Amino acid sequence: AEKGFAFLDLCRKRFDVVLMNPPFGAMTDMVNEYAREAYPIGYIDLYTAFVDRGLSLGLEQALVGAITSRTCFALSSFKKWREESFLGSTNLVNVLDLGDAVLDNAMVETAAYSISKQASDSTSLFIDVERVQIGQRIHLIYWKVKKT
C-alpha cells in the first residue's frame, strides 16, 4: 500500500522544468486510440502527444524543453496543434533548427526548442544551426509570435 501511495504522490507532482527527447512516428492502433482520447489535439504524432503531456506536468511558470522532429513547424497536418496547443496556450522561447544527422540511426530532421507556460512578450529566438560554420559569427533572428 505504501508504494501505491508513493506512486500516486509522484503522479500529482508538477515541475519547474520538463525536458524530453520523446519518441516520434506512427503509433500502434492501441496507442493511437489512447492518444486521440487523452490528447485530442496532440495525437498527430507520438512526440506531439509527449509535448502536450510535458506541458501538463509543468507548474504555471514551467519551462518545457524538447528535441523532436521539426515537422511540427512546417507540415499542414500539425497546423491545429501549432495554433491551439504549441503556440496557442504557450510561449515559444527559442528554437534551434538542428537539421539531420543529429540523432543516432534516425533519419529525421530535428529541432530543439523550449516553451514557456508563463506569459511573456512573445519574442522568440530562432537559430538555423545547419547554416552556421565553425568560427562564424551567428546572426540571431528574433521573431515576434502574433497571438490571435
Side-chain angles (χ1 to χ4, degrees):
E2 188 176 323
K3 286 184 180 182
F5 285 115
F7 180 71
L8 289 175
D9 286 341
L10 178 64
C11 291
R12 288 189 194 122
K13 269 193 153 184
R14 296 294 174 252
F15 303 92
D16 293 317
V17 175
V18 178
L19 191 59
M20 68 181 82
N21 177 6
F24 56 88
M27 299 179 229
T28 65
D29 290 341
M30 186 170 63
V31 171
N32 192 1
E33 186 178 319
Y34 169 77
R36 283 178 179 271
E37 190 173 311
Y39 306 101
I41 298 170
Y43 73 88
I44 305 155
D45 194 293
L46 201 48
Y47 77 87
T48 52
F50 268 76
V51 170
D52 282 356
R53 176 65 175 145
L55 289 166
S56 74
L57 289 173
L59 295 166
E60 284 304 310
Q61 73 278 11
L63 191 63
V64 176
I67 180 170
T68 68
S69 166
R70 67 179 184 189
T71 54
C72 64
F73 291 99
L75 293 183
S76 61
S77 57
F78 290 86
K79 183 179 181 196
K80 185 175 181 178
W81 182 77
R82 276 193 306 271
E83 291 174 348
E84 294 183 27
S85 182
F86 193 56
L87 298 175
S89 61
T90 64
N91 291 297
L92 188 59
V93 177
N94 55 44
V95 178
L96 295 172
D97 186 349
L98 301 171
D100 59 1
V102 173
L103 303 174
D104 293 340
N105 301 319
M107 301 302 292
V108 63
E109 294 182 339
T110 57
Y113 47 91
S114 60
I115 309 161
S116 172
K117 290 180 67 174
Q118 196 167 20
S120 73
D121 65 1
S122 298
T123 300
S124 303
L125 171 65
F126 288 78
I127 300 174
D128 185 348
V129 176
E130 280 190 309
R131 294 185 182 167
V132 176
Q133 296 175 4
I134 296 174
Q136 178 185 16
R137 192 177 212 162
I138 300 174
H139 297 280
L140 302 178
I141 300 168
Y142 290 91
W143 180 51
K144 195 82 164 172
V145 177
K146 186 176 181 177
K147 302 267 182 171
T148 54

